[in-house]
Amino acid sequence: MNKIVDKEYFSENVVKFEVEAPLIARSRKAGHFVIVRVGEKGERIPLTIAASDVAKGTITIVIQAVGASSKKICDLNIGDYITDVVGPLGQATHIENYGTVICAGGGVGIAPMLPIIEAMKKAGNKVISVLAARTKDLVILEKQVAEYSDEVIVMTDDGSYGYKGLITNGIEMVVNREKVDLCVTIGPAIMMKFVSLLTQKYNIPTMASLNTIMVDGTGMCGACRVTVGGKTKFVCVDGPEFNAHEVDFDEMLMRLKAYN
C-alpha cells in the first residue's frame, strides 16, 4: 500500500500525485516507469515517473482520466492509498553530453519528459524544451521544465499561449537557427510521428518514448508490440524509448485504434 501525500490538478482531467515509495525513489532513473493498481481487482496501469524525492521517499506521477480505471485513480485524495506501485520498470534513458538537445513534449507527455530534461541538463547539454498543448490551460509543468532548460518554447494549437502552431513548428524554429545534436520526443503517437518525419528531414538523431501503447508493463500481454527497424519489440521491456526514425508509427497508430 502506497500513501498519497500530495495531489494537484493540472486541468480537469490531469492530476499529479506524490506517492510514498522510498525504494523506487532511490533507484529510479530518467525514463523509468511504474505499474499502479487501485483495488485487488484493479487494472494495471503503467505510468512514467515524473520526479522523485529521495529524502521524502516519494515519487511523482501524472495521470490523465481517460477511462474507468484511470478515473478511479484520479478520484483518490491525499491520505488515500494506491494498492500497488511496482517499479522502476523499463530501460532508463541513455544520458550523455550530446551538445544541443531538443526535448519535445506534448500534452501529458511533458510529465515523463521532465526527468529527461533534468538529466540532460546535468550531463552538460544545452537543453531547449518545446512544449505543446491544444490550449493554454493544458500546458503543464512549464515552471519545472524551465528550471532545467536553457530555453522553453511553448506552442498552442489555438494561439492562447506562447506561439500558435504545432510542436513541429517550434522544433523547426530552433533547427533553422542552430545546430541540434539530438531530439527526444514524448506525447501522442501522431505527434511523435510528425516530429520524427521532421527530424529525419534534417538528419537529427531522435528518440521517442512509446509509453502510450503499454498495458501490462511486464511483456506478458503483448499489447505493446511495435516494429522498430523491421523487428518486433515490446515497449515495456525493450523500451519505452526507441530510435524514432526506425519506429513504424503507422502500424502503432493502427493498433492504438483498438483502444478507442
Side-chain angles (χ1 to χ4, degrees):
M1 301 285 281
N2 299 79
K3 187 178 181 180
I4 295 170
V5 298
D6 191 38
K7 178 181 182 180
E8 179 184 350
Y9 279 93
F10 285 146
S11 67
E12 183 180 356
N13 294 315
V14 179
V15 184
K16 181 187 82 171
F17 288 110
E18 188 176 357
V19 182
E20 288 182 347
L23 294 178
I24 298 174
R26 287 203 299 267
S27 57
R28 74 95 195 182
K29 294 180 180 178
H32 279 149
F33 66 94
V34 292
I35 293 286
V36 302
R37 187 170 65 106
V38 175
E40 292 301 321
K41 296 184 179 179
E43 181 183 6
R44 296 161 56 88
I45 298 178
L47 297 169
T48 304
I49 304 168
S52 66
D53 188 320
V54 177
K56 292 170 64 178
T58 62
I59 62 170
T60 298
I61 55 176
V62 177
I63 184 167
Q64 182 175 21
V66 293
S69 295
S70 54
K71 187 178 185 304
K72 188 176 181 180
I73 296 175
C74 288
D75 287 341
L76 295 175
N77 293 302
I78 296 173
D80 290 337
Y81 288 83
I82 297 176
T83 309
D84 293 315
V85 179
V86 179
L89 301 171
Q91 303 296 320
T93 305
H94 178 73
I95 304 293
E96 64 176 80
N97 190 339
Y98 295 95
T100 297
V101 178
I102 289 179
C103 292
V108 183
I110 297 170
M113 184 65 79
L114 180 59
I116 297 173
I117 292 169
E118 179 181 351
M120 287 293 184
K121 183 60 183 173
K122 288 180 177 178
N125 293 285
K126 177 181 180 181
V127 178
I128 301 171
S129 297
V130 183
L131 312 181
R134 293 195 306 274
T135 185
K136 179 181 179 180
D137 293 339
L138 297 177
V139 178
I140 65 172
L141 295 168
E142 182 185 0
K143 181 180 178 181
Q144 293 88 335
V145 166
E147 185 178 350
Y148 294 103
S149 301
D150 293 275
E151 181 183 359
V152 179
I153 297 170
V154 179
M155 308 296 300
T156 50
D157 292 357
D158 61 2
S160 57
Y161 187 58
Y163 297 93
K164 183 177 182 178
L166 303 175
I167 198 164
T168 47
N169 300 128
I171 294 170
E172 202 153 28
M173 284 169 52
V174 179
V175 173
N176 285 335
R177 74 177 191 218
E178 62 186 281
K179 180 179 182 294
V180 175
D181 300 289
L182 178 73
C183 177
V184 183
T185 182
I186 308 178
I190 189 67
M191 181 206 89
M192 292 189 291
K193 172 186 174 180
F194 283 100
V195 168
S196 176
L197 289 172
L198 176 67
T199 57
Q200 201 162 13
K201 170 183 161 184
Y202 289 104
N203 198 31
I204 299 169
T206 301
M207 299 299 294
S209 180
L210 310 185
N211 50 32
T212 55
I213 201 172
M214 290 192 295
V215 177
D216 178 73
T218 64
M220 292 188 294
C221 73
C224 66
R225 290 191 312 277
V226 290
T227 301
V228 181
K231 298 179 180 179
T232 298
K233 299 288 184 180
F234 291 86
V235 173
C236 62
V237 292
D238 297 318
E241 295 167 12
F242 298 95
N243 181 339
H245 298 160
E246 294 185 349
V247 174
D248 187 336
F249 280 107
D250 290 333
E251 177 193 60
M252 180 179 171
L253 286 162
M254 180 177 66
R255 294 191 61 245
L256 280 170
K257 290 179 181 179
Y259 304 104
N260 289 348

